Amino acid sequence: MNIHGTYLGAIVLNNQKIFLEYVSKFNCKGKEIKRKIDHSIRVSKLCRSIAEDLSLSKEIIEVVEFIGLVHDIGRFTQWYEYKTFDDLKSEDHALIGVRVLFDNNLIDLFNIDRYWYKAIFLAIKNHNQYDISSDTKDLDLVISKILRDADKADILYLIKTKELILEEDNSSISRNVSEAFLSNEEIRHTIKMTVSEKILLKFGFIYDINYKWTLNYIRNECILESIYNGLKYKDKIKKYYIHVNKYLMEACNGKI
């Protein structure tokens, strides 16, 4: 299920060219910026694969592929202004992104019908939130869910490949976080989280995956297993890994 060589049509390639021209202003040779560019391109391809599996129309597939490409466009301004990708220490990068695209009219440079602007706005605004906003409905909701799946899947992929390194120590896991995780609840990100709780936050992405294609991608790429095997303090995380991996296997087999 390797998606990294997916065919790209002319419209998608042209939009990718415009995107790369925009981000070239932010020192593309810097590893932090390059990682975000590569992440954006992979998320775009993941969005296409999920949309194709859902048998959506060619137009909608191209729209979600575009959204995947620009979903993190706020990250580049965030790094330029704050020298961090931590939203808790700067600004919500999704809100920066919609501001860059829509307030500054950057979106008008791309080959995308204005009809889809609302869906694009909502998907980007929603992609990093704990819950999707209640004003996101019908096809807009489907599109937002596709992006959230693709983004989470690629963040986990980055951890698997060690392009993103999980900080580790042997810190404690609170009762509230433990109970939420073992109840199949995604963990909320707070500034007071311990390092071990932040690891559970990443594993807990699985609970918020919406589509079976994404679950199968994560399973078939052995992403959770690889992340766990790479941990130094496995004993602290073991029961949580066993639990979430069981959840993943059951969800892939349609038991959840």
Side-chain angles (χ1 to χ4, degrees):
M1 195 182 283
N2 190 328
I3 53 86
H4 303 304
T6 304
Y7 167 76
L8 297 176
I11 292 175
V12 175
L13 284 172
N14 194 47
N15 282 333
Q16 194 175 106
K17 180 182 176 183
I18 296 166
F19 170 77
L20 292 173
E21 287 174 354
Y22 170 75
V23 299
S24 68
K25 301 183 296 183
F26 295 92
N27 183 20
C28 295
K29 293 182 181 178
K31 68 175 184 177
E32 301 291 348
I33 293 295
K34 185 178 185 304
R35 186 165 65 230
K36 288 302 177 187
I37 294 171
D38 293 344
H39 167 69
S40 298
I41 292 171
R42 283 195 306 271
V43 168
S44 178
K45 293 178 181 180
L46 283 165
C47 283
R48 167 176 276 275
S49 295
I50 298 166
E52 286 177 339
D53 190 67
L54 293 172
S55 299
L56 299 179
S57 71
K58 180 181 177 183
E59 182 179 13
I60 297 171
I61 290 169
E62 288 184 346
V63 169
V64 298
E65 196 164 13
F66 169 75
I67 293 171
L69 182 66
V70 299
H71 81 284
D72 260 357
I73 204 156
R75 287 296 197 188
F76 303 98
T77 295
Q78 182 185 41
W79 184 260
Y80 178 77
E81 293 185 355
Y82 299 101
K83 294 298 182 287
T84 181
F85 291 133
D86 188 335
D87 288 6
L88 296 177
K89 295 178 181 177
S90 55
E91 288 184 77
D92 182 332
H93 73 277
L95 297 182
I96 299 174
V98 294
R99 189 166 72 233
V100 166
L101 280 173
F102 292 96
D103 290 1
N104 299 342
N105 300 318
L106 179 66
I107 195 167
D108 294 336
L109 298 179
F110 293 94
N111 293 290
I112 200 80
D113 194 301
R114 294 182 69 89
Y115 174 83
W116 297 105
Y117 279 16
K118 179 187 174 188
I120 294 165
F121 179 94
L122 289 171
I124 294 173
K125 186 185 78 168
N126 283 319
H127 86 269
N128 66 331
Q129 302 303 305
Y130 186 77
D131 296 307
I132 296 176
S133 61
S134 59
D135 59 337
T136 309
K137 304 179 186 302
D138 305 320
L139 182 57
D140 292 344
L141 180 60
V142 172
I143 290 171
S144 284
K145 287 180 176 179
I146 290 171
L147 176 59
R148 285 165 70 92
D149 269 26
D151 187 43
K152 286 182 170 67
D154 196 65
I155 291 170
L156 291 172
Y157 171 82
L158 283 165
I159 297 169
K160 171 195 169 181
T161 59
K162 298 193 180 302
E163 290 183 64
L164 280 180
I165 304 297
L166 285 178
E167 185 182 348
E168 284 192 75
D169 60 18
N170 208 17
S171 56
S172 62
I173 296 170
S174 71
R175 180 176 178 180
N176 287 344
V177 169
S178 178
E179 289 179 351
F181 190 94
L182 296 174
S183 298
N184 305 340
E185 295 176 19
E186 191 181 13
I187 306 302
R188 290 182 183 267
H189 190 191
T190 71
I191 204 161
K192 294 182 179 179
M193 295 183 79
T194 69
V195 169
S196 295
E197 288 171 344
K198 289 178 182 178
I199 293 172
L200 294 192
L201 182 147
K202 295 298 193 294
F203 277 123
F205 281 2
I206 298 300
Y207 302 137
D208 191 49
I209 297 297
N210 299 282
Y211 297 113
K212 194 168 182 180
W213 188 94
T214 321
L215 292 164
N216 281 319
Y217 168 76
I218 293 168
R219 178 187 64 177
N220 294 339
E221 295 289 323
C222 301
I223 290 177
L224 294 190
E225 180 183 358
S226 297
I227 294 172
Y228 176 72
N229 287 338
L231 293 177
K232 191 183 302 180
Y233 298 102
K234 289 185 178 63
D235 290 346
K236 180 75 68 175
I237 304 299
K238 184 176 181 179
K239 75 174 180 178
Y240 302 103
Y241 165 69
I242 291 171
H243 180 87
V244 75
N245 197 53
K246 181 174 182 284
Y247 175 96
L248 174 64
M249 297 305 168
E250 290 179 350
C252 286
N253 294 327
K255 295 180 181 178
I256 294 177

